Amino acid sequence: MTIHYDEKSRIFHLTTKNTSYVLQIVREGYVTHRYWGKRVNRFRDSRPIVFKGRPLSPNPDGDWNFSLDMLPQEYPSFGTGDFRTPAFQISQEDGSTTCDLRFHSYRIVQGKPKLEGLPATYTESDDEAETLEIELRDTLLDIHVILSYTVFHQWDAMTRSVRFVNKDQIKVKLLQAASLSMDFDDADYDMLHLSGAWANERNMYRRPLFPGNQSVESKRGASSPQHNPFLALMRKEAGEQAGEVYGFSLVYSGNFIANVEVDQYDTTRVVMGINPFDFSWLLEPGEAFQTPEAVMVYSDEGLGGMSRIYHRLYRSRLCRGEYRDKERPVLVNNWEGTYFNFTADKIEQIAAKGSELGIELLVLDDGWFGKRNDDKSSLGDWFVYREKLPGGLDNLAERINKLGLQFGLWFEPEMVSEDSELYRKHPDWCIHVKGRHRTLSRSQLILDFSRQEVCDAIVEQLSDILGSTPIAYVKWDMNRHMTEVGSEALPSERQRETAHRYMLGVYQVMERLTTAFPHVLFESCSSGGGRFDPGILYYMPQTWASDNTDAISRLKIQYGTSIVYPVSTIGAHVSDVPNHMVGRVTSLETRGNVAFFGAFGYELDLTRFTEQDMGIAKGQVAWFKEVRKLIQFGDLYRLLSPFEGNEAAWMIVSDNRSEAIVFYCKVLEQPNSGFRSVRLQGLNSDADYELVESGETFGGDELMAVGLRVPAKRGDFNSHIWRLRTMDAKSNR
Ligand code: DGJ
């Protein structure tokens, strides 16, 4: 049993392999948060709540010593004396927003109930998890609020989500509905978040908490490259390998907020969920609202320990489908090779070169549909551009297949160009405010996926193509953010539901298409890594990490991404030099070495490769195929952070620790510099490992304590890869 309730103390104790989470009902049904962290066998309340009156802190039951303003709570309300950030807010018929939730009942269920219409972690059998549902009720309105807690025992992770049900006769409006609220006893933490911009996604920022609110959020209609829906609180002494870290990751792809508030008494409250800014949700009598899910991970093995827990859970119990546990094909994508300017012959020539290299999949990117020669037209017209591809898609797919490669195709299903047949026919099918100017971005508008008929039309168009052409892979792109947020199909009192309804529509379309075409590998993209979030990973097991393909920029992008997301989900390609984005020239070896740590591929015109390049690339593809299972499904250990210096290093260790791959890169060469080494992690200290390339053997203990000498090379942007295996692994090959 992983969830235990003690009637006497009214304490719920939830446990995973290494963690405990404790909540308690106090006084007249207030559900308090008591503890989250390292597992304790028996929680006997060594740190009881202190009930002590303070000036300016109101007393709900008249007792000077009791105030909600100081109570650590599981799902705090606004209006009854807690002045910190609330978890929710409900506007009522009389215009008031005060609520007073109290404990009503609980139930414990085996497994994990599905979240209707939303992506979420899941179980494959009921014994993998246990779920506690606590029902709260308002003291005046008949509103039921169900807090769900699932513990994944073996995965060492927990999830939280909330469901609001209006059982009353009147309608109410949710103004805020967070997925979780968490009160910590003190504020001695740093906040870590992953923020950036287009082409510079998921940089790591770590800063001390200070009094007041600090947050990351999106108001863009997408989770965004600016801020990822994730944050961690780290104890001051916590680092990559040791120390306490608390991770919060939201399984959602739209507007979100992750807010941390340090209050007057130096306690800390984390609130995470849909961004309440410009959001509301009408609940008619009988209606319900389900929040997205937040995934919480505690680790006392530093950030690395936290990441590995997220990786294992997301790889195996968030990602789904045939490719979840499958090695991902090595691909070549034509985007940076040709942009819009291609012919069927050109694509076939690229595929022919790819075939010589052992590449398994050709992806035809943007420009194959409608009348698309640039980014100004045709989104929404998902039929082949005959003037460009006179033989049609079938013919092209066949030519590619004949070369031994599978065929993949780019779509941007959520968008419409002003210059398109779809827009001319249905100008009201985009997100807009009636009568207002429609702001373009990349010359396009967003389809109103809050409308069922729009979702149906897009599913139909895509199904026609996926059902009639041998397509093995889809790149699902999304290249703008929301403006003039509104839907013509919604009444005025529901306009502020548009952005979330849009997201629900996107999830529905993704669900229908991925279910109807289970053999297709879907990769998501949003101007690169603009929607790299757990919500999308539920439908598509990999995401294009960034439009920035420069190997040196990618050190940070991939390192930052790996804080939450597994290597198998990170799309990474070798591209041309000078790099199209930053103009940097790096060797083909280093470009390959960096791109290996992801869903690997090439993104350039292979017909321009020299004989020498072909030789190197052939070796890369062959090597990668040998090790990709280990890379894509092993445990990641980050060794040197590119955010902290001139080097980056990481390694991947197989589940049974018999094999490992180590990556090292030095950004700029320095004259007359010292001799570097890198200490490994995650190995079996009792085993001997052979360095495959040199044949030398060292103990795991030595490799971790002493480290490997980095070979000195002249020039900038040099990298090195070592492959290690134990004697057992060698003889099993
Ligand atoms: C943005 C993507 O990130 C690129 O990889 C490419 O697919 C373009 N869109 C195509 O328009």
Side-chain angles (χ1 to χ4, degrees), residues 283-469:
L283 282 181
E284 298 275 0
E287 285 185 347
F289 180 82
Q290 173 65 56
T291 74
E293 155 173 307
V295 181
M296 296 161 47
V297 168
Y298 163 84
S299 169
D300 61 358
E301 290 176 13
L303 261 188
M306 181 205 74
S307 298
R308 284 186 289 281
I309 295 174
Y310 274 122
H311 293 177
R312 285 190 216 116
L313 183 73
Y314 283 180
R315 224 165 33 211
S316 59
R317 293 296 179 269
L318 175 69
C319 292
R320 299 177 301 165
E322 280 183 17
Y323 276 92
R324 185 186 78 177
D325 306 323
K326 242 198 209 169
E327 294 166 45
R328 309 293 160 74
V330 179
L331 63 82
V332 55
N333 177 307
N334 72 305
W335 178 243
E336 287 195 27
T338 67
Y339 295 103
F340 293 102
N341 189 14
F342 58 81
T343 60
D345 289 347
K346 181 72 192 181
I347 298 300
E348 189 183 25
Q349 286 156 17
I350 293 176
K353 284 286 180 187
S355 160
E356 283 178 46
L357 297 178
I359 289 176
E360 297 154 314
L361 167 73
L362 178 127
V363 179
L364 178 58
D365 210 280
D366 195 354
W368 60 267
F369 53 92
K371 292 192 169 16
R372 181 111 160 149
N373 290 313
D374 52 33
D375 60 14
K376 302 211 170 1
S377 82
S378 304
L379 296 170
D381 295 346
W382 300 110
F383 44 81
V384 71
Y385 186 7
R386 284 271 165 193
E387 279 161 44
K388 217 183 219 182
L389 299 173
L393 277 179
D394 268 359
N395 170 269
L396 181 56
E398 203 179 300
R399 287 160 72 178
I400 303 300
N401 290 164
K402 271 207 182 115
L403 291 164
L405 277 76
Q406 292 189 304
F407 182 62
L409 203 56
W410 179 96
F411 291 92
E412 194 174 354
E414 298 158 62
M415 299 291 154
V416 64
S417 306
E418 268 191 322
D419 181 8
S420 67
E421 289 185 18
L422 186 72
Y423 190 71
R424 282 185 281 274
K425 207 163 150 203
H426 296 289
D428 61 325
W429 272 17
C430 62
I431 301 259
H432 68 283
V433 175
K434 212 170 173 187
R436 280 200 183 275
H437 170 72
R438 300 174 185 190
T439 301
L440 296 177
S441 181
R442 208 193 189 206
S443 306
Q444 62 200 54
L445 294 159
I446 304 181
L447 282 173
D448 184 356
F449 271 31
S450 74
R451 295 172 68 163
Q452 193 56 46
E453 68 270 42
V454 179
C455 294
D456 292 345
I458 293 302
V459 168
E460 197 183 313
Q461 280 203 55
L462 262 66
S463 301
D464 279 353
I465 295 199
L466 297 178
S468 61
T469 314

Side-chain angles (χ1 to χ4, degrees), residues 479-498:
N479 289 307
R480 69 156 287 178
H481 292 157
M482 282 183 190
T483 54
E484 293 89 29
V485 186
S487 168
E488 265 202 51
L490 291 173
S492 59
E493 55 190 356
R494 288 195 183 272
Q495 283 301 316
R496 289 171 75 181
E497 298 175 12
T498 308

